[in-house]
Amino acid sequence: MRRVDRWITGTQARRLLSHPPRPHAVDLGYGASPITAVELFTRLRHVRPDLRLTGIEIEPRRVAAAKPLERDGLDFRVGGFELPVEGRPVLVRAFNVLRQYEESDVSGIWDLVRSRLAPDGIFIEGTCDEIGRRAAWVTLDAAGPRALSLAVRFGSFDRPSDVAERLPKALIHRNVPGERVYAFLSALDAAWLAAAPLAPFGVRQRWLAMCRSVKADGWPVLHGPSRWRLGELTVAWEAVAPDGPR
């Protein structure tokens, strides 16, 4: 979760800073422990000190357990994808939530959450493993999905495509020949193997070379080396979007 928090504060600070006073963020489906919501609140407040954050869970007992952690700007509520908050949030993060649903449910859930966003708001929906080695998320705005981001811990994978096990629900069953996300992950693996001579200089240098290579090959890679060196890679959604219903 800290990987996506770091990405938010690193790439979305402008969005947070340009919003009117007291912008609202939501951690949707924070789980059995509210610590992820507390950490997101703390990090976002470094960027925007007047930001408010609401942690939302469908299970009342989880909300009751989180209530003692409330403070100025941080609260917890029972709810779901309808986002029971006042106004429209500039940021909604939902991690390891949609994996419990059917792939056919995803577009409707995306649309519901997006309909609740501020005009310039974003919805970040993804999946990570339990110890932070691998994560992947989709960034959506009012117009729909915009990008897929991958984040890995250096030294925790053999090939970049190992992150496929943590693809968001919309893509995890699409990692098969003929699908765009499969082609993208295959391109990463090929570039990773081609960069093997850089292995003696460390995994980070090899990862940077891989990112430069796939971008040079025409993949619509977003951001640049300052994010790549953290083990991240973001690509425009159209490069990995599903080809149709399954």
Side-chain angles (χ1 to χ4, degrees), residues 98-103 106 125 127 136 138 148 162-176 179 181-182 185 237 240 242 246:
L98 268 67
R99 63 186 301 178
Q100 306 167 49
Y101 290 78
E102 297 296 326
E103 182 182 341
V106 171
E125 187 270 305
T127 307
V138 179
L148 171 71
D162 290 350
V163 78
E165 67 183 30
R166 296 297 166 175
L167 286 172
K169 191 68 176 189
L171 294 174
I172 193 165
H173 301 301
R174 302 299 186 129
N175 187 32
V176 293
E179 292 280 353
V181 69
Y182 178 86
L185 293 177
W237 178 251
V240 296
R246 289 181 63 83

Side-chain angles (χ1 to χ4, degrees), residues 15-222:
R15 190 185 306 272
L16 296 172
L17 290 170
S18 65
H19 205 266
R22 300 285 286 172
H24 206 155
V26 169
D27 187 12
L28 177 59
Y30 56 81
S33 170
I35 190 62
T36 58
V38 174
E39 289 191 353
L40 178 60
F41 172 69
T42 301
R43 291 192 176 94
L44 294 180
R45 277 225 155 176
H46 283 304
V47 176
R48 187 67 189 259
D50 64 338
L51 177 134
R52 297 170 294 149
L53 186 137
T54 297
I56 294 177
E57 251 297 332
I58 199 168
E59 172 52 63
R61 286 177 297 180
R62 292 179 175 180
V63 175
K67 283 290 185 180
L69 296 175
E70 291 187 337
R71 64 194 76 167
D72 178 40
L74 175 65
D75 70 289
F76 297 90
R77 303 182 188 184
V78 175
F81 299 115
E82 77 283 357
L83 306 184
V85 298
E86 300 79 16
R88 295 180 176 273
V90 68
L91 169 70
V92 177
R93 184 191 69 178
F95 249 63
N96 301 319
V97 177
L98 268 67
R99 63 186 301 178
Q100 306 167 49
Y101 290 78
E102 297 296 326
E103 182 182 341
S104 58
D105 296 330
V106 171
S107 61
I109 293 170
W110 280 0
D111 289 346
L112 177 57
V113 175
R114 290 193 303 107
S115 72
R116 299 285 288 115
L117 293 175
D120 58 343
I122 57 168
F123 174 31
I124 298 172
E125 187 270 305
T127 307
C128 64
D129 68 354
E130 294 76 10
I131 57 175
R133 299 171 305 160
R134 302 165 188 170
W137 59 90
V138 179
T139 302
L140 306 98
D141 62 15
R146 312 303 294 177
L148 171 71
S149 297
L150 309 176
V152 296
R153 179 190 297 167
F154 291 139
S156 70
F157 61 93
D158 293 321
R159 296 189 180 191
S161 61
D162 290 350
V163 78
E165 67 183 30
R166 296 297 166 175
L167 286 172
K169 191 68 176 189
L171 294 174
I172 193 165
H173 301 301
R174 302 299 186 129
N175 187 32
V176 293
E179 292 280 353
R180 293 185 182 95
V181 69
Y182 178 86
F184 178 61
L185 293 177
S186 297
L188 294 184
D189 282 351
W192 177 256
L193 292 173
L198 292 175
F201 299 99
V203 178
R204 177 174 285 109
Q205 294 305 314
R206 188 176 177 183
W207 180 269
L208 287 166
M210 178 201 73
C211 294
R212 287 192 294 266
S213 177
V214 294
K215 184 172 184 177
D217 286 343
W219 289 95
V221 173
L222 309 178

